[in-house]
Amino acid sequence: MVFNKTLLITDMKKIPRLILAFVIIGYGIAQTKALNFGMAPWDTLVLGIVNKTGLEFGKLTQGVGLIIVIFSIFIKIYPGIGTLLNMICIGFFVDLISKFNILMTPENLFFKVIVLIYALTVQAYGLYLYLKLEIGAGPRDGLMVGLIKITGLSVKYIKTGIEAVVLLTGFLLGGTVGLGTIIATFTGGAILNRIFLWKGFDAKTTCQRKFSDYFMLNECETPAD
């Protein structure tokens, strides 16, 4: 076992871009939450747990992420630097952005739908920006990418399937479910798929870094920036 310092330094140089992507995702989630129109499926689950515990939304987002990481390890989907920072940063940015008066809160139903689609697109683009760095996928995204690799199915089917199950669980826990939730569940995967196709990103072939990669030679040793 040899520690690959060069590989670690290469990945550390990507962290500013990673943090920027997380800010974008955090803004998208905060904007969705501010609409009071029904959350995205994972956020419905977190809100359901908030109703049961009274803890802060962002902190619970981190806690749910940890549970998913533990589950993912059992199906051989391993964490990396991006996974850890995802768990720490996104919930923090959601809470921080929510405290500022920069989010749109239209009352008209039509404009609510437009802003929701905008927020989902922002989240999806932020997700692409950090996944393309290939230094570890966040808990939910790592699970999604892992299942895409295992099944060979498109992201629009895997993401939608996962989120439909999550939505049902969140609903049973008392999470907010509205028209926006349904829209997010059944359009989020399609939006993400469109962005992946637009940018030429293939979730089936992406090689996300694991912590163990810094101690062994592997097929991800020389990633593209």
Side-chain angles (χ1 to χ4, degrees):
M1 181 182 294
V2 178
F3 177 64
N4 194 328
K5 181 179 178 181
T6 301
L7 187 61
L8 178 61
I9 291 173
T10 298
D11 286 350
M12 294 298 285
K13 289 178 180 178
K14 297 178 180 180
I15 287 181
R17 285 181 286 165
L18 185 72
I19 297 300
L20 175 60
F22 291 160
V23 171
I24 293 170
I25 294 170
Y27 166 72
I29 294 173
Q31 177 59 80
T32 305
K33 183 168 175 276
L35 288 172
N36 195 27
F37 187 43
M39 300 291 289
W42 283 104
D43 303 324
T44 295
L45 175 62
V46 173
L47 279 178
I49 300 173
V50 167
N51 290 337
K52 300 295 183 183
T53 65
L55 297 175
E56 285 189 0
F57 182 90
K59 290 185 175 63
L60 277 172
T61 297
Q62 296 167 351
V64 169
L66 178 60
I67 293 171
I68 298 169
V69 167
I70 294 171
F71 170 77
S72 296
I73 289 173
F74 284 101
I75 57 174
K76 299 183 179 180
I77 301 169
Y78 302 104
I81 291 174
T83 313
L84 180 62
L85 292 179
N86 183 296
M87 293 168 58
I88 294 171
C89 295
I90 291 183
F92 169 77
F93 289 133
V94 171
D95 286 341
L96 180 63
I97 292 169
S98 295
K99 293 177 181 178
F100 294 94
N101 188 29
I102 60 173
L103 302 172
M104 294 177 281
T105 56
E107 296 296 329
N108 180 276
L109 178 61
F110 174 77
F111 287 112
K112 277 182 179 285
V113 173
I114 295 298
V115 173
L116 176 62
I117 297 299
Y118 158 74
L120 292 173
T121 303
V122 168
Q123 291 178 52
Y125 188 72
L127 193 155
Y128 155 73
L129 286 177
Y130 95 83
L131 284 182
K132 77 169 184 174
L133 297 175
E134 296 192 324
I135 56 174
R140 297 176 292 181
D141 307 320
L143 178 62
M144 178 189 71
V145 169
L147 291 176
I148 289 170
K149 287 176 176 288
I150 290 170
T151 65
L153 295 174
S154 167
V155 62
K156 64 182 175 182
Y157 299 119
I158 294 297
K159 181 175 172 63
T160 301
I162 291 173
E163 293 187 346
V165 173
V166 169
L167 172 60
L168 177 60
T169 305
F171 172 73
L172 294 174
L173 289 173
T176 301
V177 177
L179 176 59
T181 312
I182 304 303
I183 293 172
T185 301
F186 295 101
T187 64
I191 291 171
L192 183 60
N193 188 57
R194 287 286 184 181
I195 289 175
F196 281 2
L197 290 173
W198 171 41
K199 291 296 186 177
F201 180 82
D202 189 350
K204 297 186 183 73
T205 60
T206 183
C207 196
Q208 296 296 325
R209 184 87 67 232
K210 309 181 295 293
F211 284 117
S212 61
D213 291 342
Y214 301 114
F215 298 93
M216 63 183 70
L217 294 177
N218 65 91
E219 69 273 17
C220 299
E221 187 171 346
T222 55
D225 286 339

